[in-house]
Amino acid sequence: MRKALAYLWGTLLVLALWWLLAAALGSPALPTPLATLPVLAEEAGAIWPHFWVSFGRIMAAMAIGTVLGAPLGLLLGRSKRADALFGPVLYILYPLPKVVLLPVLFVLLGLGGEAKVTLIAIAVFFQMMVTMRDAAKAVPMPLLEAFWSLGATRWQGFCSVTVPLALPSLFTALRVTTGTAVALLFIAESMAGSTGLGYFIMHAWSVLEYKQMFAGIVAMAVMGVAIYEAFDLAERRLAR
């Protein structure tokens, strides 16, 4: 209930600031919320197909990046040998802005959804890898030693101590990466292709349909909040 009220207050505040800015500028390029939200309802039939395409790309990319990056990060965090062997290469590539890979991916994979999903998956992979490495390193060694002293193997200690203690960090990384993933998706969809909210927004902009453009922006914001809240709910259930 408290979170619902917080979201309601935040939404009202954003709408008020939006209205004030639109009223102050008086530009058709920035329509008021009262002019935009009805368009969102009217254009639902056109927006929703793009919404679900974008949503599917985001979820597929985050699943791939997490499945590949989280275990590797845990391995690097608990194995000094693996960290020394593979860590330097990964840490050199981590600061590279992933969006610069988009032209390369378009050449290799084409202009369809594969390149867009791959770009986001790469960004999620590195975020997961670094976050889970730090989380695994933060596990207290006395706790593991106490577990081993009871006869547990190192693998049992990894599964029963390291992974559960690192799980909250995984969901934190997922929430943080959601914003980056949505931004990369918008860039990728606006550059090539004919599906997705990024395409819908930029197409509306190109034909000067500013109300449709802002309706697409609202839809993309709703998608980001929904994904964020899904990860928050999953953490409350799985990482008590």
Side-chain angles (χ1 to χ4, degrees):
M1 184 63 179
R2 182 179 299 177
K3 177 170 284 191
L5 291 175
Y7 268 115
L8 176 61
W9 163 246
T11 300
L12 292 175
L13 183 59
V14 169
L15 291 175
L17 293 174
W18 179 0
W19 182 85
L20 288 173
L21 185 59
L25 294 178
S27 170
L30 183 60
T32 65
L34 293 178
T36 302
L37 296 181
V39 174
L40 181 61
E42 294 169 4
E43 297 290 331
I47 292 176
W48 280 111
H50 294 288
F51 179 95
W52 289 115
V53 168
S54 294
F55 181 80
R57 287 169 178 167
I58 285 279
M59 298 310 295
M62 298 195 79
I64 294 170
T66 301
V67 168
L68 296 177
L72 180 58
L74 291 172
L75 175 63
L76 297 180
R78 296 312 312 168
S79 172
K80 293 182 179 179
R81 182 177 300 177
D83 197 27
L85 184 61
F86 299 107
V89 176
L90 297 173
Y91 305 143
I92 289 172
L93 296 176
Y94 175 68
L96 176 71
K98 309 307 180 289
V99 71
V100 302
L101 300 175
L102 189 56
V104 179
L105 294 174
F106 279 152
V107 172
L108 296 177
L109 302 176
L111 303 180
E114 293 83 359
K116 302 173 179 67
V117 170
T118 302
L119 175 69
I120 300 169
I122 291 172
V124 174
F125 167 82
F126 279 100
Q127 182 66 51
M128 283 294 162
M129 183 268 296
V130 172
T131 301
M132 298 309 286
R133 171 187 177 271
D134 293 343
K137 282 183 173 293
V139 174
M141 183 56 67
L143 190 61
L144 283 169
E145 291 172 346
F147 197 69
W148 296 333
S149 70
L150 298 175
T153 64
R154 289 188 175 273
W155 174 249
Q156 289 173 327
F158 178 81
C159 294
S160 299
V161 179
T162 301
V163 172
L165 288 178
L167 200 56
S169 296
L170 182 143
F171 285 106
T172 298
L174 283 172
R175 288 195 297 268
V176 170
T177 310
T178 297
T180 303
V182 173
L184 289 174
L185 180 69
F186 170 76
I187 294 172
E189 289 181 341
S190 65
M191 288 183 63
S194 58
T195 57
L197 288 174
Y199 163 78
F200 180 88
I201 292 168
M202 293 306 295
H203 176 72
W205 168 79
S206 67
V207 296
L208 306 182
E209 291 287 350
Y210 297 120
K211 294 178 182 178
Q212 289 185 2
M213 180 183 73
F214 273 90
I217 293 172
V218 171
M220 183 162 274
V222 170
M223 181 183 69
V225 171
I227 295 173
Y228 183 96
E229 279 300 308
F231 290 142
D232 193 51
L233 177 62
E235 180 181 13
R236 292 199 299 270
R237 295 289 180 86
L238 300 176
R240 294 180 179 178

